[in-house]
Amino acid sequence: MEIIPFFSIILFLSSPKNPFLDHTHTHHSGKLEISFMEFGATSRKKNKMVNGNQKFRTEITALVVDDDTTNRTIHRRLLQNLGIENQEVRNGKEAIDIHSSGRNFDLILMDMDMPIMNGIEATKQLRAMGIRSTIVGVSTRSMEEKVQEFMEAGLDDYQEKPLTSAKLISILHKMNHNGSV
Amino acid sequence: MVGIELRQEERNFVGSLKEQGILDNNFDHVLDLRSTDNPRFVVEVISMFLNDADNCIAELNRHLNQPVINYARVINYAHQLKGSSSSIGGRQVNLACRELRYASDNMDRDRCFEAFNKLKDEYQILKSNINMIIQIERTIIASESRRRRRLLHP
């Protein structure tokens, strides 16, 4: 009987509650460790056994764009718990300004409704500036039309508030799957 | 140990608030973000929320009592409070904000007042209860600080 080879990707989290906490990870270095573990892949045809444990690191930086203090604090804490270095701004215009100053981020968590410049407009302008960061819309809005408009502005993903560790992890999974490591 | 008993008291209290529909599971996510390197996180977030929410309520009161209501402003503040109350797990406040938002979208003055009165009531209930959680958290922090000092200086 042929053994089908398979690969597992295990995302190690920096959460203190994670029983699989990778002891080499540091909270404040902004590094997220991803381990690939190959489990006894055997091919009868090729007659070879491959066992290995390859590790590589990726440094992810994030920008939180939200006009609400509570939301910014919670989102930053979520990012911090995953060891992701992060900054915050209070509206879309400040998001544009920080990029215009030369700063760049791997991940942008963009609120939709903000004063001065909303998330839809800010996303359009960032894309027009050539910003290729992963931009994830985060909002309490659930109306399909508004979400669609937000996506069409240039989002990579949309998550309904409140953001949780699980939602953030799924965002990071997609980022890694799209080859940002 | 005092700290463990206080944590259990907090869990029981949060549980009862969830049963009453005052809080939902989103509050648990806030508690989960507490850590040894930032034990004051829950106190800080709740305090932040209350400060902003007090301001929202005051602004809503001001705008709704104008001779001509600026519904765009009312919508803005209702949406803001809806978002932050959702993040903190303030279920009834979130629902009341949604109602106010609908009433404002329809520019229905009477319905706006009714929704705002409901919002004020729900906010006062939430505020008094999460202030109690702040007190429990502060007591836990003080207790754990004393315990660490005793360990360092037996």
Side-chain angles (χ1 to χ4, degrees):
Chain A
M1 190 167 94
E2 193 163 319
I3 299 169
I4 309 296
F6 66 92
F7 300 90
S8 285
I9 299 171
I10 302 172
L11 186 70
F12 283 97
L13 311 176
S14 64
S15 165
K17 295 183 181 169
N18 182 9
F20 302 107
L21 182 67
D22 186 333
H23 68 278
T24 63
H25 174 84
T26 49
H27 275 263
H28 305 293
S29 66
K31 295 175 186 172
L32 186 71
E33 290 196 2
I34 302 170
S35 272
F36 284 91
M37 296 176 74
E38 295 181 17
F39 293 97
T42 303
S43 164
R44 225 181 227 184
K45 255 186 179 177
K46 293 178 184 174
N47 196 31
K48 59 183 176 184
M49 179 77 77
V50 177
N51 275 304
N53 186 341
Q54 297 170 304
K55 272 188 188 177
F56 59 90
R57 289 164 183 260
T58 180
E59 289 192 2
I60 297 178
T61 57
L63 178 68
V64 175
V65 188
D66 201 310
D67 60 325
D68 182 75
T69 319
T70 307
N71 290 331
R72 284 200 306 272
T73 305
I74 291 173
H75 294 173
R76 290 196 72 181
R77 184 68 183 172
L78 284 168
L79 290 164
Q80 199 180 320
N81 276 2
L82 292 175
I84 296 172
E85 185 189 316
N86 62 86
Q87 281 186 241
E88 65 176 53
V89 290
R90 296 170 299 178
N91 56 62
K93 180 163 185 316
E94 288 185 8
I96 303 301
D97 290 345
I98 201 170
H99 281 87
S100 298
S101 74
R103 281 302 315 266
N104 224 313
F105 304 88
D106 300 295
L107 171 64
I108 301 171
L109 299 178
M110 182 77 77
D111 184 24
M112 190 194 293
D113 295 294
M114 294 178 285
I116 304 173
M117 186 188 291
N118 65 31
I120 294 173
E121 189 53 42
T123 302
K124 283 182 187 170
Q125 285 204 26
L126 286 172
R127 292 306 190 204
M129 284 164 68
I131 301 297
R132 292 287 163 257
S133 311
T134 297
I135 306 179
V136 177
V138 187
S139 176
T140 52
R141 297 279 205 131
S142 55
M143 276 175 57
E144 216 174 290
E145 285 166 18
K146 266 294 178 189
V147 174
Q148 186 61 28
E149 189 186 347
F150 204 0
M151 289 296 298
E152 284 170 2
L155 294 182
D156 294 288
D157 194 9
Y158 176 85
Q159 293 285 351
E160 210 169 312
K161 274 181 188 173
L163 202 62
T164 60
S165 293
K167 289 179 183 177
L168 189 51
I169 289 160
S170 86
I171 290 166
L172 295 171
H173 263 295
K174 286 177 191 172
M175 279 175 74
N176 286 317
H177 183 72
N178 291 337
S180 62
V181 293
Chain B
M1 287 175 68
V2 175
I4 293 171
E5 288 167 3
L6 284 169
R7 286 264 177 251
Q8 188 57 51
E9 182 185 326
E10 185 182 56
R11 271 194 292 275
N12 293 342
F13 185 57
V14 170
S16 80
L17 294 179
K18 283 159 75 173
E19 279 173 22
Q20 294 172 68
I22 295 167
L23 288 180
D24 61 26
N25 290 335
N26 289 335
F27 189 76
D28 296 329
H29 297 309
V30 175
L31 293 179
D32 286 345
L33 292 173
R34 187 177 42 207
S35 65
T36 48
D37 66 322
N38 192 357
R40 291 187 54 82
F41 179 75
V42 174
V43 171
E44 286 167 4
V45 167
I46 294 177
S47 301
M48 227 173 256
F49 164 72
L50 290 174
N51 187 55
D52 288 349
D54 283 344
N55 183 58
C56 273
I57 296 286
E59 288 294 320
L60 283 167
N61 191 54
R62 188 168 70 82
H63 285 292
L64 285 167
N65 284 294
Q66 296 295 319
V68 179
I69 297 176
N70 186 336
Y71 287 104
R73 293 279 182 163
V74 173
I75 289 167
N76 179 53
Y77 285 110
H79 182 79
Q80 198 176 317
L81 185 52
K82 179 170 166 289
S84 57
S85 62
S86 170
S87 293
I88 207 88
R91 185 173 169 272
Q92 291 297 342
V93 169
N94 178 269
L95 291 172
C97 286
R98 194 180 298 183
E99 191 54 41
L100 178 56
R101 174 75 202 256
Y102 289 151
S104 305
D105 283 340
N106 293 317
M107 296 197 217
D108 186 333
R109 192 186 184 98
D110 291 339
R111 202 170 152 203
C112 276
F113 277 112
E114 196 183 318
F116 183 55
N117 286 332
K118 171 81 174 162
L119 171 58
K120 279 190 291 186
D121 290 343
E122 293 298 344
Y123 176 62
Q124 285 309 313
I125 293 169
L126 176 67
K127 185 174 179 176
S128 66
N129 282 294
I130 59 177
N131 267 326
M132 288 177 68
I133 293 174
I134 285 179
Q135 293 313 310
I136 297 173
E137 281 286 316
R138 285 185 173 141
T139 308
I140 291 170
I141 291 163
S143 158
E144 286 177 354
S145 176
R146 278 194 300 273
R147 188 177 65 85
R148 276 195 295 276
R149 278 202 300 273
R150 278 200 296 270
L151 286 171
L152 288 170
H153 307 288

